[in-house]
Amino acid sequence: MSGQSTTRTVPGNGGSGTARAAGRTGQRLSGLAVALGMVLFLGGFAWGAVVYRPYTVPTPSMAPTIGAGDRVLAQRIDGDDVRRGDVVVFEDATWANVPVVKRVVAVGGDKVSCCQDGKLKVNDQEIDEPYLPEGTAAEFGNFPEVTVPKGRLFLLGDERSGSVDSTAHLADAANGTVSRGAVRARVDAVVWPMDGMLNPPTGFARLGALSEPGPLRTVVAMVIAGTVLVLGGAAYGPLAKRAGASRARANAGSPGGR
């Protein structure tokens, strides 16, 4: 008499092992993403804090480029790095006891005057100034020709009709000019409201090279990338673990072969 034997296959643990391996890989990738994200995030903030200083502009003398109450970020620079067209923050006791924001229109050795045909003139070149308020002309700041002494700067506000700038100090010993050493920073961007980077003063390009923007875009990109990696990495670990557990339960619940 022969008996019938039945062989039942017990579900193996290969699926759950694969799930655990996938879970461990996910956790490693998650930790790596979070760590890299923190480096970028904190590195971007640290770099920005070293390179930039925030300022609030209290008056409309730089409108429409910078309005009254706007918050700007200004790159810390040496006065020797200032070029024509830069919007700078400087401190001069003969002007005010607070930081002042104006645009550099002439540097040491330049001859500057205003205005003929509604244009600012530097070294006999008429300067196109698209940053002036729409519908106005440069002659609101009319003044005779000034030769800027070496090592000094001539500065104007973009709102020529109401700006207290070099034209208001022409009777001073320095003919309204400011020492390069008085410059503390160069404005790169308006951050509140978020108007973004200042437009390059291309009208001065015919007189020499313009200043290059600071690393603000790179700093912002680092902070954003760091934030994305931290949030994505933190979310990936739990999601990968949950997906692995779901696969393990599915494998455990599948019927065995006979």
Side-chain angles (χ1 to χ4, degrees), residues 67-230:
D70 284 2
R71 191 79 166 168
V72 302
L73 280 181
Q75 181 185 3
R76 303 170 195 257
I77 61 169
D78 186 88
D80 292 337
D81 296 328
V82 175
R83 295 178 178 174
R84 302 176 191 90
D86 289 348
V87 177
V88 299
V89 182
F90 65 94
E91 296 182 32
D92 189 302
T94 62
W95 287 51
N97 292 321
V98 295
V100 180
V101 179
K102 302 293 179 188
R103 188 182 295 275
V104 175
V105 298
V107 299
D110 287 347
K111 293 181 178 180
V112 55
S113 63
C114 193
C115 291
Q116 296 177 7
D117 301 323
K119 296 283 189 178
L120 177 74
K121 183 175 285 189
V122 181
N123 297 338
D124 298 323
Q125 297 286 333
E126 291 187 350
I127 306 301
D128 184 32
E129 298 184 279
Y131 44 76
L132 294 180
E134 186 176 356
T136 68
E139 63 257 21
F140 278 109
N142 189 46
F143 58 92
E145 184 175 87
V146 174
T147 299
V148 182
K150 293 293 185 181
R152 301 189 71 85
L153 307 168
F154 196 90
L155 306 105
L156 298 176
D158 288 356
E159 177 49 78
R160 300 286 159 81
S161 61
S163 174
V164 180
D165 48 35
S166 286
T167 61
H169 294 270
L170 291 175
D172 296 350
N175 292 331
T177 63
V178 171
S179 170
R180 282 183 175 271
V183 174
R184 299 290 176 263
R186 179 177 55 228
V187 177
D188 253 8
V190 178
V191 294
W192 186 260
M194 289 186 288
D195 292 340
M197 303 289 288
L198 299 190
N199 293 324
T202 53
F204 292 92
R206 67 179 67 181
L207 299 175
L210 304 178
S211 294
E212 293 292 331
L216 184 59
R217 287 191 175 94
T218 304
V219 169
V220 172
M222 287 176 63
V223 172
I224 292 175
T227 301
V228 171
L229 284 172
V230 169

